[in-house]
Amino acid sequence: MVLGGGSAGWLTAATLAAELGGDAPDALQITLIESPDVPSIGVGEGTWPTMRATLHRIGLSEVDLIRDCDAAFKQGSRFDGWLHGGVADRYYHPFTLPHGWGDVDLAGAWLQGDREQPFADSVGPQPHLCDAHLAPKQTTTPDFGGVMNYGYHFDAVKLGHLLQRHATVKLGVRHVVNHFIAVRSHENGDIAALTTRECGDIEGDLFIDCSGLGSLLLGRHYGVAFRSEKGVLFNDSALAVQVPHADAQAPLASATISTAHAEGWTWDIGLPTRRGIGLVYSTSHTGDEAAERSLQAYLDRSGLSAGRATPRRLRFDPGYRERFWHRNCVAVGLAAGFIEPLEASALALVELSAAFLRDEMPASRADMDLVARRFNQTFAYRWSRIIEFLKLHYVLSRRDDADYWREHREAATLPDSLRELLQLWAHRAPSRNDFDRAEEVFPAASYQYVLYGMRFQPALRPLRADRLAAARARMSDVTTMTRRLLGGLPRHRDLLQHIRAHGLPPAA
Ligand SMILES: Cc1cc2nc3c(=O)[nH]c(=O)nc-3n(C[C@H](O)[C@H](O)[C@H](O)COP(=O)(O)OP(=O)(O)OC[C@H]3O[C@@H](n4cnc5c(N)ncnc54)[C@H](O)[C@@H]3O)c2cc1C
């Protein structure tokens, strides 16, 4: 039983129904309850590449997503103004790993060179493709296949509708539109049923809390403690607005553009028909009016002042629950926690949670506590890695235009694990040895992109001549590859138009 019909609820219900549902006697019967009175949050428009496998496994096609959800390709993030806020202060965190990752030490070779070209631009073609507004694939590349690694930008509300249609019509999920009002419990404290306003009690074995920031089952019913991370990552508010493109045929960005400002940072996501823009800020440092002025200044600078809607304000307490799975209740999505949207990790955590449930679904109640313990360990680890990685963006900043930036790099606000890693990275590049779980949320390459994008300067032992030559040879491959791709890949906007009109070859 899933409580909540936002992106978390529908992704989880579809992931479970696609592989554990059906007509067999032992198949899971999945019901999703959604309130007619409480809208889903409606933001969350940038994904990781993981979304391709998630959609493929639930039986949706990329063409469905592009046609129905105003979707576009996302090749990574571009960070503007994060280092000092001056001219030319920008770097990419692309989704594609550095060329020859694992075979040669491109970071070592780059650090030993003149560093005239930014790190990400030297170790792979993707930043150049983003600058040229090109797509990560060809018209002939199959559904979900890529020349470069990519995720998506989309309209979150439309994604919700697509997932709902697919889950109910194709995957057999039962949809109850009714307001949940109370829990009926078993004597042992497990949840027996959810009481709804008009549909009575709906019974179940496992209750997946996707009720959003209210965390109605895990937080409110069970009172599982919330672990606030506001002392590490200060942001607790966002202003979000959707605006038409200044020119409907303008080249379409395929990276989320994250721009730092004295008051916080803006996200800027380009969809084929509009841009989704928002400012993320900390109310301990910036008042709402100053935040609005900052967002407006960004829109004005971007030539997007005309026809602007009033921004929507969202408040959140950055942090997560001390446990995610308690008794026969597991929280997924905002009900489990939320940290600011830098690097857009929230939907990826939903996908990982749903996949864990699909792969490890307890065979009986007797096994559930064991599975729950493993789930809790895995996701506590993932949350701590996300917090550490997001904090890295602030710690390396040299911006000095507001207390917000100065306080973000104060030693007392750093997680111990990040302090240790920075000490190690003063003498060597981040490597696979630093992150050894089978499914890390951010690979060592992501840390390299941010560290060297932000001009972190380690004192490395010089590479041996043969290792340096091997790495430089790969870098010159990057130059050749980039030239070839710049000449061969379609414009991002053109490819999306082509897909809407003609589709894509089916996935292999
Ligand atoms: C400013 C901002 C920007 C973000 N950007 C990104 C991003 O770029 N990428 C990303 O991955 N994530 C992003 N996120 C996070 C992302 O939006 C969420 O993780 C995602 O939308 C999942 O939300 P949800 O389904 O958990 O909650 P919600 O969308 O809030 O859904 C909650 C559901 O619970 C139901 N419900 C609530 N109360 C009741 C009740 N009493 N009875 C029955 N049903 C009830 C509601 O009807 C609704 O269907 C962002 C979040 C914010 C705040």
Side-chain angles (χ1 to χ4, degrees):
M1 163 99 54
V2 178
L3 177 64
S7 306
W10 285 114
L11 275 170
T12 306
T15 297
L16 297 180
E19 294 185 33
L20 306 179
D23 301 327
D26 60 346
L28 295 191
Q29 305 299 314
I30 297 161
T31 300
L32 184 145
I33 305 177
E34 176 183 12
S35 171
D37 309 335
V38 186
S40 60
I41 195 156
V43 282
E45 307 203 314
T47 81
W48 288 7
T50 46
M51 188 57 84
R52 287 151 62 193
T54 298
L55 296 178
H56 189 37
R57 280 187 79 155
I58 65 177
L60 277 171
S61 75
E62 187 161 70
V63 178
D64 295 331
L65 182 79
I66 286 167
R67 285 186 182 148
D68 293 3
C69 304
D70 201 15
F73 297 111
K74 172 175 175 179
Q75 305 200 55
S77 295
R78 195 181 86 198
F79 293 92
D80 290 8
W82 282 75
L83 184 56
H84 45 64
V87 187
D89 172 7
R90 66 155 60 169
Y91 72 95
Y92 277 98
H93 172 194
F95 283 146
T96 304
L97 293 172
H99 183 51
W101 176 250
D103 294 342
V104 287
D105 183 0
L106 289 192
W110 181 80
L111 287 161
Q112 235 169 290
D114 61 14
R115 281 171 278 154
E116 220 166 77
Q117 179 163 248
F119 174 69
D121 304 43
S122 308
V123 302
Q126 201 151 31
H128 304 276
L129 306 180
C130 292
D131 280 342
H133 298 104
L134 298 184
K137 62 194 284 176
Q138 303 276 10
T139 51
T140 48
T141 318
D143 220 44
F144 296 120
V147 174
M148 291 282 113
N149 199 13
Y150 66 86
Y152 303 104
H153 288 142
F154 48 58
D155 179 322
V157 173
K158 291 183 176 167
L159 177 77
H161 294 153
L162 174 66
L163 289 170
Q164 175 189 322
R165 272 197 310 278
H166 183 69
T168 51
V169 177
K170 298 266 173 62
L171 303 176
V173 173
R174 180 178 159 228
H175 187 195
V176 177
V177 181
N178 216 286
H179 197 75
F180 151 81
I181 46 174
V183 166
R184 178 156 64 75
S185 300
H186 288 296
E187 265 179 19
N188 67 358
D190 280 6
I191 299 175
L194 303 186
T195 306
T196 59
R197 204 162 42 205
E198 280 111 14
C199 300
D201 284 7
I202 304 177
E203 296 186 345
D205 301 313
L206 176 65
F207 293 82
I208 306 177
D209 184 356
C210 298
S211 62
L213 291 171
S215 192
L216 299 181
L217 303 182
L218 191 78
R220 203 167 300 168
H221 171 68
Y222 278 126
V224 169
F226 183 79
R227 183 187 154 117
S228 174
E229 292 288 344
K230 181 139 171 80
V232 179
L233 290 160
F234 310 152
N235 293 327
D236 59 6
S237 296
L239 290 170
V241 71
Q242 295 171 356
V243 288
H245 288 283
D247 165 3
Q249 286 310 313
L252 186 61
S254 61
T256 300
I257 298 163
S258 303
T259 306
H261 309 274
E263 300 79 11
W265 64 271
T266 43
W267 78 79
D268 185 345
I269 287 180
L271 304 188
T273 64
R274 64 153 168 89
R275 276 157 76 171
I277 296 176
L279 180 87
V280 183
Y281 60 104
S282 148
T283 50
S284 311
H285 298 83
T286 302
D288 292 330
E289 281 180 15
E292 274 182 40
R293 282 196 299 276
S294 177
L295 177 62
Q296 182 164 336
Y298 179 83
L299 293 167
D300 291 344
R301 274 202 308 281
S302 311
L304 295 169
S305 308
R308 194 170 63 237
T310 313
R312 227 180 106 205
R313 180 172 304 132
L314 297 129
R315 297 266 194 243
F316 53 88
D317 191 359
Y320 56 96
R321 298 277 153 192
E322 282 187 349
R323 261 164 299 141
F324 312 101
W325 194 327
H326 179 70
R327 307 205 68 91
N328 62 341
C329 170
V330 54
V332 175
L334 299 174
F338 180 64
I339 310 273
E340 59 161 285
L342 189 68
E343 298 282 2
S345 54
L347 288 172
L349 273 182
V350 169
E351 297 171 68
L352 285 165
S353 305
F356 191 113
L357 284 167
R358 176 195 64 212
D359 298 341
E360 307 289 330
M361 182 57 72
S364 67
R365 179 64 187 88
D367 288 345
M368 199 177 284
D369 294 340
L370 176 58
V371 178
R373 196 163 67 238
R374 293 160 65 92
F375 186 98
N376 289 333
Q377 279 165 358
T378 299
F379 283 88
Y381 174 81
R382 287 176 171 156
W383 277 97
S384 66
R385 286 259 100 105
I386 288 171
I387 287 158
E388 174 189 283
F389 185 64
L390 299 195
K391 182 70 174 179
L392 184 68
H393 296 66
Y394 293 95
V395 170
L396 299 175
S397 177
R398 294 179 216 150
R399 287 188 74 108
D400 204 21
D401 50 351
D403 285 346
Y404 171 84
W405 292 97
R406 287 185 287 270
E407 286 172 22
H408 250 131
R409 53 182 180 261
E410 278 177 7
T413 70
L414 264 68
D416 290 342
S417 58
L418 180 58
R419 198 171 309 121
E420 282 173 13
L421 287 169
L422 284 168
Q423 191 180 336
L424 288 173
W425 297 336
H427 302 284
R428 66 163 176 79
S431 81
R432 285 174 175 171
N433 301 332
D434 297 322
F435 312 104
D436 53 10
R437 296 267 177 125
E439 279 186 288
E440 284 288 347
V441 272
F442 293 103
S446 291
Y447 288 82
Q448 291 192 355
Y449 283 130
V450 175
L451 280 174
Y452 307 132
M454 301 277 285
R455 300 279 161 177
F456 180 78
Q457 183 56 66
L460 296 186
R461 190 181 310 134
L463 290 183
R464 231 174 48 193
D466 57 334
R467 301 295 298 149
L468 183 62
R472 291 208 167 132
R474 291 299 179 99
M475 279 189 186
S476 92
D477 291 348
V478 169
T479 312
T480 316
M481 237 157 56
T482 303
R483 207 172 309 124
R484 189 167 47 77
L485 291 169
L486 284 173
L489 284 168
R491 283 188 349 137
H492 185 205
R493 193 180 279 286
D494 293 347
L495 180 64
L496 295 169
Q497 260 158 16
H498 173 92
I499 295 172
R500 275 196 300 276
H502 306 288
L504 280 170

